[in-house]
């Protein structure tokens, strides 16, 4: 999979993509992540990428020409399965979306800044808009990092135990059950006996029951879907 990211502050993305599972995916050749500095496409001597809003109002807007020129350049080199805009005013990222995107070959992500991008960019180029929650960040770089991590970890071969990803929270619209490891007792707190029994069918029944109970308590909305 190849993921291209258009950013105003590309340095913000260096650390998230050079550690842990995403780094492993890159080293294995399973994921290629390319970050493009939008200012390289800015206008004039000062490489301008933003301007004031038509109609007045506080905050600057990302200009259409630099973004359009960057997208056109990238599209001339390859076709993209999705061109995604990270923005708070969009559908919230969920596990189903991550699952679907992990099957794509080429993805282009545009990160927002200031008051956002000129609406004509969204109308002309964007095929999918994603939010990571009902709050506003300084820019879309961290949101893009969250999306990339959620996608890349699902690519076959990235995680050593692929079954692990299939049992994550939200894969079956349930939160994950409690998990335990050694020691079996700590300061009077014991691991449930069923997990030490070796009876794997009963252990799976216990995990399913606890997953349902936890979901019902914390996220009952998931059970309505």
């Amino acid at each position: 999979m190849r993921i291209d990211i258009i950013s105003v502050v590309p340095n913000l993305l260096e650390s998230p993509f050079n550690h842990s599972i995403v780094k492993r995916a890159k080293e294995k050749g399973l994921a290629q992540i390319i970050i493009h500095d939008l200012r390289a496409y800015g206008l004039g001597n000062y490489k301008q990428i933003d301007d004031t809003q038509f109609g007045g109002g506080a905050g600057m807007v990302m200009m259409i020409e630099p973004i359009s020129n960057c997208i056109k350049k990238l599209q001339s080199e390859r076709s993209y399965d999705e061109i995604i805009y990270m923005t708070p005013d969009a559908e919230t990222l969920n596990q189903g979306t991550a699952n679907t995107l992990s099957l794509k070959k080429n993805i282009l992500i545009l990160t927002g800044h200031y008051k956002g991008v000129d609406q004509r960019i969204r109308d002309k180029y964007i095929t999918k808009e994603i939010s990571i929650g009902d709050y506003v960040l300084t820019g879309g770089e961290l949101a893009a990092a969250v999306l990339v991590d959620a996608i890349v970890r699902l690519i076959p071969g990235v995680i050593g135990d692929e079954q692990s990803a299939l049992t994550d929270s939200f894969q079956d619209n349930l939160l994950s059950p409690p998990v335990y490891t050694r020691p079996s007792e700590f300061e009077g707190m014991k691991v449930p006996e069923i997990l030490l029994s070796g009876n794997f069918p009963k252990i799976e029944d216990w995990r399913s029951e606890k997953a349902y109970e936890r979901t019902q308590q914390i996220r009952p909305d998931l059970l309505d879907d």
Side-chain angles (χ1 to χ4, degrees), residues 108-120:
L108 175 57
I109 301 174
L110 171 63
T111 62
H113 255 269
Y114 315 116
K115 294 295 287 186
V117 304
D118 188 299
Q119 180 62 37
R120 289 167 290 184

Side-chain angles (χ1 to χ4, degrees), residues 13-40:
L13 294 169
E14 289 183 2
S15 180
F17 299 150
N18 287 308
H19 298 278
S20 190
I21 288 175
V22 176
K23 178 184 178 183
R24 187 187 313 165
K26 292 165 59 180
E27 290 175 343
K28 289 183 176 180
L30 298 173
Q32 185 179 13
I33 302 171
I34 311 297
I35 304 169
H36 305 273
D37 187 349
L38 183 61
R39 291 194 181 277

Side-chain angles (χ1 to χ4, degrees), residues 156-169:
V158 171
I159 295 180
D161 181 3
E162 293 180 14
Q163 190 66 26
S164 175
L166 297 177
T167 56
D168 288 336
S169 290

Side-chain angles (χ1 to χ4, degrees), residues 44-108:
N45 294 333
Y46 295 100
K47 299 296 183 181
Q48 184 180 359
I49 60 171
D50 64 302
D51 208 337
T52 55
Q53 300 183 57
F54 280 126
M60 305 292 278
V61 176
M62 293 173 69
M63 298 168 66
I64 190 169
E65 295 102 319
I67 300 172
S68 179
N69 290 340
C70 183
I71 292 177
K72 285 179 180 177
K73 171 68 163 53
L74 295 173
Q75 285 181 321
S76 72
E77 298 169 351
R78 68 193 51 81
S79 296
Y80 289 97
D81 301 302
E82 295 281 6
I83 300 180
I84 300 169
Y85 176 46
M86 305 303 302
T87 176
D89 58 327
E91 293 185 5
T92 306
L93 174 65
N94 58 34
Q95 192 61 47
T97 299
N99 290 346
T100 299
L101 292 175
S102 72
L103 301 175
K104 306 298 184 180
K105 182 179 180 182
N106 295 318
I107 294 174
L108 175 57

